[in-house]
C-alpha cells in the first residue's frame, strides 16, 4: 500500500495545496483562469466541470459580441438615429451599467470556483488584489460608457425640446410634411459682457434637399437696412421697414433679434428668449421669400469653447490676420487655431470688411465639420457636451433628430454644399433690392447642384486670388472690380484647402 501511495500521480488537489506557499502555482493558475474568464465568460466554469453554466455563459458572451459587431458593421445608420433619441440613451446607459455588474459578477464567481482551498494569508491577499484589478478593468470602461451616455442625453435634452415651437407633437412618419426642402436659419450671436443683448452678426439659411441632402447656404449681411417686417404688430410699427430703437440703433438686420426680446408686444404670445428667434425667422423668411422651418443660434464666445473642446481647428490662412488687442497676428500657412484664435479669424474686420469675414466664417465651419471626427468627439466628450450646452439654442424638436441624421448620411453619399451671399456689388445694403434677393433665392434652391459648377457660377482664373484667400464674395475681376455672383458657388471652390 505504501508503494502504491508513493507512486500515485499528483492530483488537482495536490496542485492546489501548493498554493499554500506564497507564489504557489495553484494561485497563479487560478488567476490565469479568472483572466481567461474575464476575456471569455465560462472558461473557469468549464475547467471545474460546470459544463451547463460554463456553456451558457460562453454562449451569452459570444452572442453579445456578435450582436455588437453586426450592429456596428451593418446597422450603423440605425444606431446613429437611435443615438439622438433620449429614451434609447436612457436604456443604453442602464444596459451598460447592468452589463458591467454582470461582468464583475462573472469575474468574482470564476475566481471563487478555481482558487485553491488552502492559501496562506499573503496568497489570499495577492489573489484578492488580482481579482480587484480585473474588476476595475471591467468596471471603469462600463462606468465611463454609462456616464457618457447620461451626459450626452442631458446635453441632448437641454438643447432640443420635445414638440414643435408651440409644443405640439411632431409627425415622425412624415418629418418634412411633404416638403422638398427644409430651411434652417443658422445664427451667430455676438453677445459679450461689455455689450447689451445679442446681435446676430452671422445669418445664413441652410436650405436642405430632403431627398439628397444637397444644401444651399443663403447668407445675408448684418447691415441690411430698411428690412421689411412680417405682417402683424411688427409691420404695423415699421410699415416702411425696420428702423431700429432710437439713436443708438441704426436699424440694421442684426438688431431685429434683440429688438423683439426688448419689445414683447411685437411678438405677442411668445416667451422670453423665443421672441427674438420667432421675429427674425419671420423677417428673413420675408426677405428671401422662403419659409424658415427652424433656427440654430450659436453664441460666438461659446463657439470658441467648442473649438477648444475638440483640440482646435486646422485651417489654411493665406493673408496675415490681426489677432487680439495686443498686436498679435495670425500668420499665413496651415495653422491649428485655438478657440480664441478661430473666433478672431472669423470676426476680424481689420484690412477687410463684413463680406470677407462672412466668407471666412463659412470656411471655418467647413473645416470644423471635416475635423470633428468620432475619435475626437469621444476623447473630448465631457468638455464638448458642456460647451455645446452653453453655446447652442434651437427650436429643432428632438423627434426630428433621427431624420436630420438620415439627411446627413445621404449628404455623405455625394451631396454638395453651395453658397450664395447677398452682398455688394450684387446687393447694396443701404438700399437693398429685396425683389432681386427673393428672385435669386428662388433660383438658387431650384437649381440642381451640378449647374453651380458651371463657369458662370464658379471662380474663374482671374478670381483665383479671392478664392484662395477664403473670400467667397465679393470676388475681383482682372480689372479689380468686384464680380456680381448671382448663382451658388461650391464651398470647395471658395475655401482654402
Amino acid at each position: 500500500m505504501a508503494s502504491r501511495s508513493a507512486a500515485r500521480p499528483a492530483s488537482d488537489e495536490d496542485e492546489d495545496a501548493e498554493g499554500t506557499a506564497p507564489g504557489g502555482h495553484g494561485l497563479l493558475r487560478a488567476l490565469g483562469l479568472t483572466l481567461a474568464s474575464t476575456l471569455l465568460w465560462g472558461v473557469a466554469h468549464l475547467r471545474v466541470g460546470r459544463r451547463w453554466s460554463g456553456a451558457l455563459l460562453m454562449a451569452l458572451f459570444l452572442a453579445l459580441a456578435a450582436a455588437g459587431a453586426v450592429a456596428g458593421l451593418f446597422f450603423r445608420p440605425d444606431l446613429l438615429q437611435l443615438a439622438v433619441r433620449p429614451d434609447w440613451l436612457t436604456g443604453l446607459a442602464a444596459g451598460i451599467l447592468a452589463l458591467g455588474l454582470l461582468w464583475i459578477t462573472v469575474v468574482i464567481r470564476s475566481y471563487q470556483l478555481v482558487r485553491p482551498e488552502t492559501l496562506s494569508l499573503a496568497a489570499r491577499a495577492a489573489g484578492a488584489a488580482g481579482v480587484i484589478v480585473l474588476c476595475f478593468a471591467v468596471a471603469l470602461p462600463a462606468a465611463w460608457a454609462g456616464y457618457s451616455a447620461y451626459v450626452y442625453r442631458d446635453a441632448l435634452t437641454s438643447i432640443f425640446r420635445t414638440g414643435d415651437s408651440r409644443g405640439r407633437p411632431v409627425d415622425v412618419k412624415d418629418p418634412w410634411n411633404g416638403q422638398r426642402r427644409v430651411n434652417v436659419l443658422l445664427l451667430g450671436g455676438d453677445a459679450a459682457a461689455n455689450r447689451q443683448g445679442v446681435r446676430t452678426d452671422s445669418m445664413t439659411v441652410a436650405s436642405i434637399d430632403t431627398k439628397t441632402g444637397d444644401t444651399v447656404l443663403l447668407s445675408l449681411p448684418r447691415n441690411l437696412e430698411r428690412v421689411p417686417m412680417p405682417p402683424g404688430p411688427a409691420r404695423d410699427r415699421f410699415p416702411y421697414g425696420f428702423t431700429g430703437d432710437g439713436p443708438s440703433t441704426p436699424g440694421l438686420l442684426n438688431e431685429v433679434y434683440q429688438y423683439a426680446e426688448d419689445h414683447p408686444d411685437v411678438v405677442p404670445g411668445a416667451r422670453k428668449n423665443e421672441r427674438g428667434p420667432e421675429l427674425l425667422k419671420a423677417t428673413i423668411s420675408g426677405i428671401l421669400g422662403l419659409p424658415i422651418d427652424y433656427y440654430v443660434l450659436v453664441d460666438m464666445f461659446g463657439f470658441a469653447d467648442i473649438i477648444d473642446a475638440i483640440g482646435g481647428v486646422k485651417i489654411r490662412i493665406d493673408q496675415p490676420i490681426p489677432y487680439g488687442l495686443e498686436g498679435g497676428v495670425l500668420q499665413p500657412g496651415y495653422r491649428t487655431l485655438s478657440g480664441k484664435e478661430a473666433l478672431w479669424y472669423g470676426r476680424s474686420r481689420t484690412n477687410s470688411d463684413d463680406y470677407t469675414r462672412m466668407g471666412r466664417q463659412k470656411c471655418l465651419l467647413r473645416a470644423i465639420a471635416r475635423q470633428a471626427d468620432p475619435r475626437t468627439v469621444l476623447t473630448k466628450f465631457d468638455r464638448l457636451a458642456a460647451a455645446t450646452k452653453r453655446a447652442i439654442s434651437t427650436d429643432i424638436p428632438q423627434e426630428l433628430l433621427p431624420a436630420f441624421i438620415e439627411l446627413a448620411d445621404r449628404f455623405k453619399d455625394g451631396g454638395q454644399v453651395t453658397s450664395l451671399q447677398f452682398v455688394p456689388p450684387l446687393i447694396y445694403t443701404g438700399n437693398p433690392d429685396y425683389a432681386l434677393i427673393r428672385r435669386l433665392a428662388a433660383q438658387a434652391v431650384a437649381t440642381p447642384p451640378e449647374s453651380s459648377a458651371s463657369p458662370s457660377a464658379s471662380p474663374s482664373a482671374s478670381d483665383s486670388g479671392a478664392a484662395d484667400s477664403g473670400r467667397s464674395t465679393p470676388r475681383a475681376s482682372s480689372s479689380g472690380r468686384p464680380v456680381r455672383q448671382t448663382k451658388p458657388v461650391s464651398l470647395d471652390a471658395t475655401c482654402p484647402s
Side-chain angles (χ1 to χ4, degrees):
M1 292 293 293
S3 61
R4 289 182 181 179
S5 176
R8 182 176 60 86
S11 65
D12 289 347
E13 288 77 7
D14 295 327
E15 293 179 13
D16 290 343
E18 296 176 8
T20 58
H25 294 294
L27 176 61
L28 294 178
R29 187 191 63 170
L31 290 175
L33 287 170
T34 305
L35 174 61
S37 293
T38 304
L39 301 176
L40 178 61
W41 296 354
V43 171
H45 289 68
L46 292 174
R47 178 67 180 81
V48 298
R50 302 200 175 202
R51 297 178 180 176
W52 285 107
S53 57
L56 181 61
L57 283 172
M58 192 171 290
L60 177 60
F61 183 87
L62 293 175
L64 290 172
V70 169
L73 290 173
F74 301 105
F75 296 97
R76 183 175 175 274
D78 300 293
L79 292 177
L80 289 175
Q81 293 193 35
L82 294 177
V84 291
R85 292 182 54 176
D87 52 343
W88 279 87
L89 289 172
T90 301
L92 176 63
I96 290 173
L97 294 178
L99 178 61
L101 291 174
L102 175 59
W103 208 320
I104 291 172
T105 302
V106 170
V107 172
I108 295 173
R109 183 56 181 158
S110 297
Y111 179 70
Q112 289 175 340
L113 291 175
V114 298
R115 71 182 176 183
E117 293 183 1
T118 55
L119 287 173
S120 68
L121 183 61
R124 286 179 180 275
V131 172
I132 290 173
V133 169
L134 291 176
C135 288
F136 267 103
V138 170
L140 289 179
W144 178 85
Y147 172 73
S148 296
Y150 171 79
V151 170
Y152 179 52
R153 181 192 180 280
D154 178 62
L156 203 65
T157 54
S158 297
I159 297 171
F160 302 95
R161 62 188 177 189
T162 57
D164 63 12
S165 59
R166 300 186 182 277
R168 297 170 298 192
V170 177
D171 182 8
V172 295
K173 294 182 179 179
D174 183 18
W176 314 125
N177 296 319
Q179 298 173 193
R180 188 177 67 87
R181 308 192 73 90
V182 57
N183 300 317
V184 182
L185 175 59
L186 309 177
L187 302 171
D190 195 3
N194 60 352
R195 65 185 302 178
Q196 184 178 2
V198 176
R199 303 293 185 273
T200 54
D201 281 355
S202 176
M203 291 165 283
T204 297
V205 173
S207 183
I208 309 167
D209 190 303
T210 56
K211 299 297 183 184
T212 65
D214 290 331
T215 301
V216 180
L217 301 178
L218 303 170
S219 300
L220 295 168
R222 69 183 188 93
N223 57 341
L224 281 183
E225 299 182 29
R226 298 287 178 177
V227 177
M229 304 302 287
R235 183 173 293 180
D236 293 342
R237 182 165 302 179
F238 301 104
Y240 305 108
F242 183 65
T243 54
D245 192 21
S248 61
T249 55
L252 307 180
L253 178 59
N254 71 336
E255 300 167 13
V256 171
Y257 183 103
Q258 190 60 41
Y259 184 88
E261 290 295 331
D262 294 338
H263 299 81
D265 54 313
V266 298
V267 194
R271 295 176 294 185
K272 182 178 175 59
N273 296 326
E274 295 180 2
R275 297 189 286 265
E278 186 168 330
L279 182 59
L280 189 56
K281 282 169 60 179
T283 301
I284 291 181
S285 175
I287 293 173
L288 296 176
L290 300 173
I292 304 298
D293 301 295
Y294 307 104
Y295 84 93
V296 178
L297 172 64
V298 180
D299 173 72
M300 299 303 288
F301 290 91
F303 184 66
D305 293 336
I306 293 176
I307 293 176
D308 284 332
I310 64 174
V313 57
K314 187 174 182 179
I315 199 165
R316 196 183 86 184
I317 301 174
D318 282 345
Q319 298 178 357
I321 297 176
Y323 159 57
L325 302 176
E326 299 177 358
V329 175
L330 299 177
Q331 296 293 345
Y334 285 99
R335 299 279 181 261
T336 298
L337 306 182
S338 67
K340 185 177 180 181
E341 291 170 337
L343 192 61
W344 277 92
Y345 171 83
R347 298 176 69 239
S348 176
R349 294 193 190 97
T350 306
N351 299 326
S352 62
D353 51 32
D354 278 343
Y355 318 121
T356 299
R357 78 171 187 161
M358 286 170 65
R360 287 202 304 264
Q361 289 168 2
K362 287 180 178 54
C363 294
L364 182 61
L365 290 174
R366 171 177 171 267
I368 294 169
R370 288 188 170 186
Q371 295 170 40
D373 58 273
R375 182 187 63 83
T376 300
V377 171
L378 286 174
T379 55
K380 310 286 186 180
F381 190 80
D382 282 2
R383 291 183 61 193
L384 184 58
T388 302
K389 284 174 60 177
R390 293 193 302 269
I392 295 179
S393 59
T394 182
D395 63 350
I396 295 177
Q398 291 178 14
E399 297 89 337
L400 284 189
L401 293 179
F404 274 105
I405 292 290
E406 184 179 356
L407 272 185
D409 281 340
R410 293 178 186 175
F411 174 78
K412 289 180 180 177
D413 291 335
Q416 297 186 40
V417 178
T418 55
S419 174
L420 175 61
Q421 300 190 101
F422 297 103
V423 298
L426 179 63
I427 298 296
Y428 173 53
T429 58
N431 185 25
D433 187 341
Y434 289 108
L436 176 61
I437 291 176
R438 287 190 290 271
R439 185 165 66 252
L440 293 178
Q443 293 173 0
V445 299
T447 304
E450 290 78 11
S451 65
S452 66
S454 63
S456 63
S458 58
S460 63
S462 62
D463 302 330
S464 60
D468 287 344
S469 67
R471 303 181 186 183
S472 54
T473 52
R475 305 196 310 272
S477 66
S478 57
S479 64
R481 291 190 299 271
V483 175
R484 287 170 56 94
Q485 178 193 327
T486 61
K487 296 182 179 179
V489 173
S490 170
L491 285 186
D492 289 335
T494 60
C495 293
S497 58

